[in-house]
Amino acid sequence: MNFLYSDDVIIACSTSLNGNAAIGVIRISGFKSLSDFKDFFTLKLSGPIEPRKVYFTNLVLQGQKIDEVCLTFFQAPHSYNGENVLELSVHGNTLNIERILALFLNTGLCRMAGPGEFTYRAVKNRKLSLSQVEGLDLLLNATSGFALDQGLSLLNGSLFELYKDLYHLFLLHKASLELMIDFSDDVGEEAARTSFDTTLSNFSTKFKTLLKRVRPISYDLLEPEIVLIGLPNSGKSSLFNYLLSEDRAIVSPLAGTTRDYISESLVIEGVKFKLIDTAGIRKSKDLIEEEGISRSKERIAKSFFKILLINPLELGPELKDLIHLNPDLILFTHQDLPGFDSSKANLVALYPELGSIGAVSLIEFSTSFESHIESQVISKFRELVSDKPLLLSRHKQLILKADGQLSSYLCHASQETDVAILSHELNSLGHCFSELLGIVSPEDVLNSIFSNFCIGK
Ligand SMILES: Nc1nc2c(ncn2[C@@H]2O[C@H](COP(=O)(O)OP(=O)(O)O)[C@@H](O)[C@H]2O)c(=O)[nH]1
Ligand SMILES: [Mg+2]
């Protein structure tokens, strides 16, 4: 990432430039003195400007008024990122915002910020830890109220406090181990051992509350996916289009029409899901279709809600595998066609489990069907998020790694292992927590987080 170590003056619009709005926020960060910008405002910036106070002023270029703006100065180190920051609320027409940005850029006083560069400086100046930045990223890109809450909780709320408390308990235990190694003679062996046991128990009890929030499930609740699966011609693309209220996927009686998966957003009760139409699963000699089928299988494994569509009039040997994927909902299509009832009865006789998994026959796509599907999806989602599982995979992985290391440490601690080994084990555990809190931040982690950020944040 090219901006990681630069500290020149940056500018960006921090609101969206995707359409006109009432107000646009432009921020300039990293300048030495506010008076560098004195020629741009009718307000006297060379005089005393009170930090954090909003001033109404005119933005001017060579005496000509460009816009009326609200100006706020955040003085270092009491700003979002610890630098001097000038924040302007300007009229939110994108043309106006771009004109103002160009005006500042043309003077050479600043350059355009990279994605996340303001926030990176907050990390550099120790205003935010890496895990807080991840919380911010989650907050800004959340697709559900649950993810919004978790982002905020990680940015400056209970989840961040939990991480900090855990790290604090860890450090207390680390100190007690050092006490046992170096000062048992001073405090007495028994007192040192008691302190060691108590601090370890406090730490591991607290750790368990965090561990409970890591689900050993493979699917992603950050961008929850609903996948439509079935043999070719079972009606997947028809249902996909119906749920999206548009002709997005090609519907055709020719088996193998959908050769890759297609995904679109579907909002149900304020939660943004990804609806995925897959290639019908069948043996194919067509290389492209075969690749599509294999990619579809990957999506199926990741998705949190699987809807299996079955046309009892067109069956194939692969249906067995699809039933074994444990779909959340089964829909029988083509009920309007002759022979449906007997074919369905034969199928249910072959697979009795079809009778038990909320299987419904579909006469035609209708709003009641749509709400039936949507209510099943949303109730599963709500149930899964009810115990607030952690969303960020980096955090989940580190907590699971810490769990393995803690188990090994507890085992050594109970066996009166050599203190040098204990100390080594504890350091490995500590490393997991430093990474979790973002005290130690490998550069590839930094890169992957900040590349996700929008410009202006
Ligand atoms: N009669 C009838 N035709 C259907 C029904 N559902 C889908 N079709 C038709 O079946 C064919 C295959 O549907 P499509 O959605 O492309 O299936 P996919 O291969 O699973 O994506 C199309 O001609 C659809 O119009 C249904 O319930 N009844
Ligand atoms: Mg299709």
Side-chain angles (χ1 to χ4, degrees), residues 77-326:
H78 306 293
S79 69
Y80 167 68
N81 60 12
E83 295 186 333
N84 279 329
V85 174
L86 181 62
E87 191 169 293
L88 304 175
S89 298
V90 306
H91 285 108
N93 178 318
T94 50
L95 208 60
N96 187 47
I97 296 173
E98 278 161 8
R99 185 166 76 161
I100 296 172
L101 287 174
L103 183 149
F104 284 105
L105 290 168
N106 288 342
T107 60
L109 281 172
C110 45
R111 66 165 171 84
M112 198 63 191
E117 196 167 0
F118 287 94
T119 301
Y120 172 70
R121 291 179 179 199
V123 176
K124 203 174 77 174
N125 293 331
R126 298 181 183 276
K127 287 274 171 179
L128 289 176
S129 75
L130 191 63
S131 68
Q132 286 178 297
V133 173
E134 287 169 301
L136 180 64
D137 186 23
L138 189 55
L139 177 67
L140 295 178
N141 296 301
T143 54
S144 65
F146 165 66
L148 274 179
D149 291 343
Q150 189 160 121
L152 199 58
S153 171
L154 192 53
L155 176 61
N156 255 324
S158 55
L159 191 52
F160 186 61
E161 290 304 318
L162 178 58
Y163 283 8
K164 277 202 313 193
D165 287 354
L166 251 173
Y167 194 59
H168 176 68
L169 291 175
F170 169 80
L171 291 179
L172 285 179
H173 179 64
K174 194 164 186 248
S176 82
L177 177 63
E178 274 156 25
L179 185 79
M180 206 159 77
I181 297 172
D182 294 329
F183 303 104
S184 327
D185 290 346
D186 303 322
V187 292
E189 212 166 291
E190 202 177 319
R193 184 75 212 187
T194 308
S195 152
F196 177 88
D197 289 341
T198 315
T199 51
L200 181 54
S201 151
N202 291 345
F203 169 71
S204 50
T205 308
K206 190 91 178 176
F207 179 73
K208 279 190 195 119
T209 58
L210 184 62
L211 188 63
K212 269 198 222 136
R213 295 180 61 177
V214 180
R215 279 177 176 271
I217 46 174
S218 56
Y219 46 72
D220 186 358
L221 291 174
L222 197 53
E223 283 196 295
E225 295 183 351
I226 306 164
V227 69
L228 303 177
I229 55 175
L231 300 179
N233 270 344
S234 53
K236 300 177 295 299
S237 298
S238 308
L239 180 63
F240 181 78
N241 288 341
Y242 183 80
L243 291 175
L244 295 172
S245 317
E246 62 171 304
D247 283 343
R248 172 68 177 79
I250 301 170
V251 171
S252 128
L254 290 177
T257 303
T258 311
R259 302 205 297 179
D260 196 356
Y261 71 85
I262 313 174
S263 106
E264 287 289 335
S265 297
L266 178 69
V267 178
I268 306 175
E269 296 187 23
V271 180
K272 195 156 142 201
F273 294 95
K274 258 194 201 167
L275 181 66
I276 297 180
D277 180 19
T278 54
I281 306 294
R282 63 169 184 174
K283 292 258 174 307
S284 169
K285 290 201 177 75
D286 180 324
L287 272 183
I288 298 177
E289 188 185 349
E290 191 58 38
E291 174 62 21
I293 292 172
S294 126
R295 289 166 58 151
S296 293
K297 284 183 177 163
E298 281 169 27
R299 302 314 300 183
I300 295 169
K302 255 193 85 192
S303 66
F304 96 102
F305 199 92
K306 302 176 192 68
I307 302 177
L308 170 61
L309 285 96
I310 302 177
N311 170 2
L313 300 161
E314 278 189 52
L315 298 175
E318 296 84 4
L319 183 63
K320 193 173 166 197
D321 300 336
L322 293 173
I323 293 172
H324 288 156
L325 287 173
N326 290 327

Side-chain angles (χ1 to χ4, degrees), residues 3 5-13 26-37 40-41 73-74 81 83-88 101 103-114 117-118 121 124 455:
F3 65 72
Y5 301 104
S6 62
D7 53 4
D8 41 355
V9 184
I10 50 170
I11 183 170
C13 172
I26 291 178
R27 296 198 295 179
I28 307 174
S29 178
F31 50 89
K32 296 250 171 343
S33 161
L34 197 55
S35 63
D36 294 350
F37 301 98
F40 294 104
F41 302 97
F73 172 49
F74 297 91
N81 60 12
E83 295 186 333
N84 279 329
V85 174
L86 181 62
E87 191 169 293
L88 304 175
L101 287 174
L103 183 149
F104 284 105
L105 290 168
N106 288 342
T107 60
L109 281 172
C110 45
R111 66 165 171 84
M112 198 63 191
E117 196 167 0
F118 287 94
R121 291 179 179 199
K124 203 174 77 174
I455 293 175

Side-chain angles (χ1 to χ4, degrees), residues 370-423:
E370 192 176 343
S371 40
H372 176 73
I373 294 171
E374 291 186 352
S375 73
Q376 303 248 343
V377 169
I378 201 78
S379 57
K380 178 163 184 192
F381 180 75
R382 294 231 166 94
E383 195 215 309
L384 288 174
V385 301
S386 62
D387 49 2
K388 301 186 178 165
L390 292 186
L391 289 172
L392 297 175
S393 60
R394 189 182 81 88
H395 293 217
K396 288 194 273 189
Q397 280 162 14
L398 280 169
I399 292 165
L400 289 173
K401 188 172 161 199
D403 182 41
Q405 264 157 4
L406 179 60
S407 304
S408 151
Y409 180 74
L410 285 167
C411 184
H412 282 296
S414 65
Q415 288 167 358
E416 313 260 323
T417 313
D418 184 84
V419 281
I421 297 174
L422 275 183
S423 181

